[in-house]
């Protein structure tokens, strides 16, 4: 990590109201993206994973015709927006129903409170062996780091999250944490760190991990998971998983702690059926994830397995603040990852460049909102506004609109790049004065003809990977004027 | 004031978002199913479950189903199993006892687990499993091979149709401690997008339709 540039400014006392809800390293987006672009292995991995996902998504979502697929997007979008509209009421209903189902419900205003609640539960239950299934929210709140600083080891059990944990890295994708690593890299890592007998076979590598983690599951006394949805009417904690580690974590340890964002509540079981299927189809084309679970409380009398206690921690961490803004729509996200796979910027820069667990277009919106705009100034610009993200979003979030609004906020708050602001000011001054504008336009045409193929100084960014276009012989303005005067030469 | 009250207070103080979102004109199931005849549903379920990587055995009689299970067990001396009252195969208990196969509920060294199924979903090939007394969670999770015995009459068009049916029957969803849809064998693509089965859950799922 480059410490010299973009280190977040020291937090001041008077800034307490604006404490960021997430630690990020997003102001390094451009240098990190540059490194990613120069990494052929990463480029190959990104090309394969994003292309596979996005084509499988389209095939699966539109298997019954485009009209049907679009209707289902509308249906999913309506379900999430209706849930958000009634969010406070649904949260209270969900709490009451989950309690009636025998689960404990706790609330955390921010990351530190959520982490402290988990630590308290670990203490209270004298838990020592902790297993975890993948949860993006726990990455957001830095749970593993908080637990490790108290001398507790947390074992990630999703294969991708486990790989990333062993490598000492961060996930590069919300669904596929190790998508940036090649098979050879993972093999070498397993051989080096886990003394795996060398093999090039992904299946044998997976079996090796299965056996290692199986022991950990059987010995664990506390499990930590996230939650894809909470159903208010039934008090169901819902998890969509593929590998089975999510079921292990929610079944074997005697205590289960689920950490769930407050925006995950939906109203009815019917809404859940729509959203759960849209989630898997939009991610990688699966009709449903292998295990779609609705958990209704701990082990009951006469049951032989299941956790004895279930705690659900409902985490705000900045969400209620977003709720009150024009960015509330971002809370509709179901974390399918389709906008990542579809985004030309993500497909080139990869997840790590964003410096946040939330990458891609949704990450470029959520990260500044949670971490503070000043801590993620490049992200709203990490988009060509091509609109693919909006087109593939299963809940029709208008990501380009929010990226534009964030750019507006950046300028308002004085975070726009100096050269860019100066350019825009000159443009505003010149275009307001007709003769000056005409002169400047003529000057620009000659200037461009004479300009070197690469621009100097800070303008170099434009020409490093492409040539400056030659200017048109006649400007649009001139063509239009001629046309109006009936002297069109064309 | 508690964190709970502060969070709810902030949400209530905000201008209600999406107040002008129009209600949905028509609610559809994700997968449209035209042929809802019993034979049509069974055909569709079979083909969708096979696409997921399941092996489907349609049997004519309970005896044939029992033989199929004994075949799959091979020379195993133990099996994880739900209470046989929840597995619609009369004669299974006697056959397992006769073959000297011990039944357990949570032994992690056992290779095969046998469950019933609350429903089969024709549109997506998934199995609805509920847990409760006599229906432990681990039987369909710990072993390498999961055998689910499904009554043909329990195949419904879709997840949505199953939910509708349960609601119409007045059954509370929360009556089951866990309710899940199992859609094929455990899988991952976390190593370089290469599909691999049997990560932590069963790598093989056999459905016996009776």
């Amino acid at each position: 990590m480059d410490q010299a540039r973009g280190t977040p400014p020291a937090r001041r006392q008077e800034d307490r109201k604006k404490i960021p809800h997430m630690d990020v390293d997003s102001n390094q987006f451009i240098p990190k993206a540059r490194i990613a672009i120069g990494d052929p292995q990463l480029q190959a991995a990104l090309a394969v994973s994003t292309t596979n996902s996005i084509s499988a998504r389209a095939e699966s979502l539109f298997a019954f015709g485009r009209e049907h697929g679009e209707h289902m997007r509308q249906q999913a979008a309506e379900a999430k927006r209706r849930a958000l509209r009634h969010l406070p009421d649904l949260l209270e209903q969900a709490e009451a129903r989950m309690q009636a189902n025998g689960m404990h419900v706790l609330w955390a205003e921010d990351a530190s409170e959520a982490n402290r609640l988990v630590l308290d539960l670990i203490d209270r239950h004298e838990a020592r062996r902790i297993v975890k299934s993948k949860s993006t929210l726990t990455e957001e709140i830095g749970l593993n780091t908080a637990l490790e600083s108290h001398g507790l080891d947390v074992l990630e059990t999703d294969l991708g999250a486990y790989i990333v944990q062993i490598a000492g890295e961060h996930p590069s994708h919300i669904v596929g944490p190790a998508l940036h690593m090649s098979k050879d890299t993972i093999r070498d890592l397993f051989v080096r760190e886990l003394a795996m007998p060398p093999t090039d076979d992904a299946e044998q590598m997976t079996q090796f991990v299965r056996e290692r983690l199986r022991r950990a599951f059987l010995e664990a006394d506390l499990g930590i998971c996230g939650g894809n949805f909470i159903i208010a009417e039934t008090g169901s904690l819902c998890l969509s998983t593929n590998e089975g580690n999510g079921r292990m974590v929610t079944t074997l340890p005697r205590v289960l702690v689920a950490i769930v964002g407050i925006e995950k509540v939906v109203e009815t079981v019917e809404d859940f059926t729509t959203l759960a299927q849209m989630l898997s189809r939009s991610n990688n084309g699966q009709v449903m994830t292998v295990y779609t679970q609705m958990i209704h409380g701990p082990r009951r009398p006469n049951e032989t397995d299941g956790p004895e206690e279930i705690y659900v921690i409902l985490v705000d961490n900045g969400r209620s603040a977003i709720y009150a803004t024009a960015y509330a729509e971002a809370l509709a996200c179901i974390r399918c990852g389709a906008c990542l796979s579809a985004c030309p910027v993500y497909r080139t820069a990869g997840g790590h460049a964003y410096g946040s667990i939330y990458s891609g277009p949704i990450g470029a919106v959520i990260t500044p909102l949670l971490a503070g705009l000043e801590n993620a100034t490049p992200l709203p610009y990490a988009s060509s506004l091509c609109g693919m993200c909006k087109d593939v979003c299963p809940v029709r979030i208008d990501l380009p609109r929010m990226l534009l609004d964030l750019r507006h906020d950046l300028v308002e708050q004085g975070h726009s790049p100096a050269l860019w602001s100066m350019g825009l000011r000159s443009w505003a001054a010149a275009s307001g004065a007709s003769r000056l504008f005409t002169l400047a336009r003529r000057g620009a045409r000659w200037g461009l003809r004479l300009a070197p193929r690469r621009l100097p100084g800070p303008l170099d960014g434009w020409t490093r990977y492409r040539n400056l276009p030659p200017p048109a012989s006649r400007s649009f303005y001139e063509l239009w004027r001629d046309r109006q005067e009936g002297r069109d030469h064309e | 004031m508690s964190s709970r009250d502060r969070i709810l207070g902030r949400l209530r103080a905000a201008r209600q978002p999406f107040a002008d979102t129009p209600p949905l004109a028509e609610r559809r199931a994700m997968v449209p199913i035209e042929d809802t005849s019993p034979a049509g549903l069974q055909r569709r379920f079979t083909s969708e479950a096979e696409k997921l990587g399941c092996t489907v055995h349609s049997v004519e009689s309970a005896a044939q189903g029992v033989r199929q299970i004994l075949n799959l067990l091979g020379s195993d001396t133990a099996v994880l199993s739900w209470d046989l009252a929840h597995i619609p195969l009369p004669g299974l208990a006697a056959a397992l006892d006769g073959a000297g196969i011990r039944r357990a509920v949570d032994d992690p060294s056992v290779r095969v687990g046998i469950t019933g199924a609350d429903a089969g979903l024709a549109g997506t090939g998934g199995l609805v499993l509920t847990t409760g007394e006599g229906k432990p969670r681990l039987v369909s999770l710990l072993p390498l091979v999961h055998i689910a015995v499904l009554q043909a009459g329990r195949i419904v068009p879709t997840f949505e149709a199953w939910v509708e049916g349960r609601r119409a029957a007045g059954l509370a969803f929360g009556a089951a401690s866990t309710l899940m849809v199992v859609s094929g064998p455990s899988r991952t693509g976390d190593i370089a997008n290469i599909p691999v089965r049997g990560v932590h859950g069963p790598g093989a799922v056999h459905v016996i339709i009776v």
Side-chain angles (χ1 to χ4, degrees):
Chain A
M1 191 186 310
D2 185 349
Q3 287 295 336
R5 297 167 60 186
T7 311
R11 206 174 285 163
R12 294 189 303 272
Q13 258 327 96
E14 61 267 32
D15 273 351
R16 282 184 61 88
K17 279 250 156 30
K18 284 173 61 186
I19 285 179
H21 294 283
M22 180 168 57
D23 284 328
V24 296
D25 185 28
S26 301
N27 282 339
Q28 294 300 305
F29 178 80
I30 289 166
K32 283 195 201 163
R34 193 167 283 151
I35 293 168
I37 290 166
D39 179 345
Q41 182 191 304
L42 176 65
Q43 291 300 313
L46 281 169
V48 171
S49 65
T50 57
T51 307
N52 283 356
S53 300
I54 213 67
S55 56
R57 169 208 168 262
E59 204 175 302
S60 169
L61 191 61
F62 301 124
F64 312 102
R66 182 159 282 271
E67 188 276 333
H68 184 70
E70 290 300 340
H71 177 91
M72 295 313 291
R73 285 179 72 219
Q74 186 62 44
Q75 189 165 311
E78 191 274 336
K80 277 299 276 193
R81 279 162 187 69
R82 174 162 34 81
L84 288 171
R85 183 160 77 232
H86 303 295
L87 185 58
D89 294 341
L90 292 181
L91 279 166
E92 282 192 310
Q93 187 188 11
E95 178 189 41
R97 297 288 150 82
M98 286 193 287
Q99 285 168 341
N101 287 337
M103 300 191 258
H104 308 279
V105 180
L106 307 170
W107 301 69
E109 277 209 273
D110 55 23
S112 67
E113 187 174 15
N115 291 336
R116 190 168 47 72
L117 286 171
V118 178
L119 278 164
D120 287 350
L121 291 172
I122 291 170
D123 266 1
R124 191 189 312 165
H125 292 280
E126 296 178 349
R128 287 292 162 267
R129 285 153 301 194
I130 302 163
V131 287
K132 194 162 163 268
S133 69
K134 187 174 61 198
S135 150
T136 308
L137 176 53
T138 61
E139 295 283 342
E140 173 190 320
I141 64 176
L143 177 69
N144 287 11
T145 313
L147 297 189
E148 279 153 20
S149 74
H150 283 76
L152 295 158
D153 286 331
V154 195
L155 187 63
E156 292 287 351
T157 61
D158 169 84
L159 179 58
Y162 180 68
I163 292 167
V164 168
Q165 186 180 43
I166 292 171
E169 293 186 12
H170 292 290
S172 66
H173 188 284
I174 50 174
V175 182
L179 278 184
H180 59 289
M181 294 164 89
S182 72
K183 189 177 72 173
D184 291 353
T185 309
I186 296 168
R187 175 202 59 205
D188 295 346
L189 177 74
F190 283 180
V191 170
R192 190 174 68 241
E193 300 292 329
L194 309 175
M196 178 184 75
T199 171
D200 273 331
D201 182 24
E203 200 160 325
Q204 284 180 31
M205 289 159 68
T206 305
Q207 283 311 306
F208 174 77
V209 173
R210 177 185 170 108
E211 279 158 37
R212 266 185 91 86
L213 290 184
R214 180 55 65 97
R215 285 194 297 272
F217 284 129
L218 293 168
E219 289 168 359
D221 36 30
L222 187 135
I224 297 174
C225 67
N228 294 93
F229 306 97
I230 287 175
I231 307 173
E233 66 157 337
T234 51
S236 315
L237 168 66
C238 304
L239 291 163
S240 294
T241 61
N242 279 318
E243 296 181 357
N245 65 309
R247 284 185 63 196
M248 294 281 184
V249 167
T250 57
T251 301
L252 283 166
R254 60 191 159 83
V255 182
L256 171 64
V257 181
I259 304 174
V260 190
I262 55 171
E263 82 283 20
K264 297 289 185 184
V265 180
V266 298
E267 190 174 1
T268 65
V269 180
E270 283 78 0
D271 292 335
F272 166 67
T273 61
T274 301
L275 290 164
Q277 295 180 84
M278 288 298 281
L279 171 65
S280 59
R281 283 187 193 259
S282 298
N283 168 33
N284 64 355
Q286 276 178 269
V287 295
M288 287 183 79
T289 56
V290 175
Y291 306 113
T292 302
Q293 283 178 278
M294 296 164 65
I295 296 172
H296 296 123
R299 175 190 306 203
R300 295 181 183 171
N302 305 322
E303 281 196 298
T304 53
D305 56 22
E308 291 159 21
E309 305 275 354
I310 299 181
Y311 298 87
V312 177
I313 303 180
L314 296 171
V315 181
D316 181 343
N317 203 37
R319 286 159 176 73
S320 59
I322 296 173
Y323 187 77
T325 68
Y327 299 104
E329 203 181 355
L331 299 173
C333 173
I334 57 172
R335 310 278 189 261
C336 69
C339 65
L340 279 63
S341 301
C343 176
V345 176
Y346 175 88
R347 292 167 67 114
T348 313
H352 283 152
Y354 292 77
S356 158
I357 180 62
Y358 302 112
S359 60
I362 187 67
V365 169
I366 292 182
T367 304
L369 294 176
L370 290 179
L373 205 47
E374 68 281 8
N375 295 319
T377 57
L379 296 195
Y381 294 98
S383 163
S384 64
L385 301 177
C386 71
M388 276 298 284
C389 49
K390 184 184 176 184
D391 285 352
V392 299
C393 178
V395 290
R396 300 170 55 124
I397 299 175
D398 193 348
L399 288 158
R401 192 270 298 170
M402 284 192 281
L403 287 165
L404 271 175
D405 286 354
L406 283 168
R407 293 180 189 183
H408 179 85
D409 295 351
L410 276 169
V411 174
E412 293 268 288
Q413 295 178 22
H415 290 296
S416 104
L419 192 71
W420 179 249
S421 304
M422 198 181 76
L424 280 181
R425 268 199 303 275
S426 320
W427 168 265
S431 60
S434 149
R435 288 190 54 197
L436 187 60
F437 187 69
T438 308
L439 271 173
R441 203 183 60 233
R442 291 200 183 126
R445 189 190 303 164
W446 286 106
L448 280 171
R449 282 196 188 136
L450 300 172
R453 290 174 76 85
R454 284 188 65 166
L455 291 173
L459 300 174
D460 172 56
W462 182 256
T463 48
R464 183 170 306 153
Y465 301 108
R466 43 171 128 49
N467 290 327
L468 211 56
S473 61
R474 295 170 63 76
S475 72
F476 174 78
Y477 176 81
E478 286 162 344
L479 289 171
W480 183 253
R481 188 193 53 199
D482 292 354
R483 195 186 178 89
Q484 293 299 83
E485 292 172 7
R487 289 190 280 119
D488 195 347
H489 297 284
E490 299 304 316
Chain B
M1 208 181 354
S2 66
S3 295
R4 173 190 187 276
D5 295 342
R6 276 191 294 270
I7 294 168
L8 290 172
R10 278 196 297 273
L11 294 174
R12 291 222 157 88
R15 197 173 62 87
Q16 192 180 42
F18 312 116
D20 53 354
T21 308
L24 199 66
E26 176 202 3
R27 174 173 293 281
R28 293 189 199 166
M30 184 73 235
V31 179
I33 299 286
E34 274 152 28
D35 184 356
T36 54
S37 69
L41 289 178
Q42 185 167 341
R43 265 198 310 276
R44 183 67 182 269
F45 172 82
T46 302
S47 98
E48 295 294 334
E50 284 171 349
K51 275 192 227 164
L52 296 174
C54 297
T55 310
V56 181
H57 313 264
S58 292
V59 297
E60 300 297 323
S61 66
Q64 200 188 339
V66 169
R67 276 199 302 280
Q68 188 65 59
I69 287 180
L70 289 179
N71 275 344
L72 290 167
L73 283 168
S75 58
D76 290 7
T77 55
V79 67
L80 294 195
S81 171
W82 277 7
D83 186 326
L84 296 183
H86 298 293
I87 299 176
L89 267 189
L92 181 59
L96 291 174
D97 291 345
I101 297 170
R102 177 176 61 87
R103 295 199 299 276
V105 291
D106 60 2
D107 181 344
S109 66
V110 172
R111 190 181 63 94
V112 179
I114 309 174
T115 70
D118 285 65
L121 308 179
T124 54
L127 294 162
V128 179
L129 301 186
T130 54
T131 64
E133 185 177 1
K135 304 197 288 182
R137 296 157 178 80
L138 291 173
V139 172
S140 61
L141 179 61
L142 286 177
L144 273 169
V145 179
H146 173 204
I147 302 173
V149 182
L150 171 68
Q151 282 173 307
R154 291 195 172 198
I155 301 176
V156 296
T158 58
F159 191 20
E160 291 88 342
W162 180 78
V163 165
E164 195 186 329
R166 192 162 169 112
R167 221 186 257 291
L171 286 167
F173 292 94
S177 54
T178 302
L179 197 159
M180 68 190 135
V181 181
V182 174
S183 304
S186 153
R187 61 179 258 181
T188 190
D190 277 352
I191 297 179
N193 259 284
I194 300 162
V196 174
R197 286 183 193 165
V199 194
H200 296 294
V205 176
H206 293 266
V207 186
I208 296 180
I209 304 179
V210 191

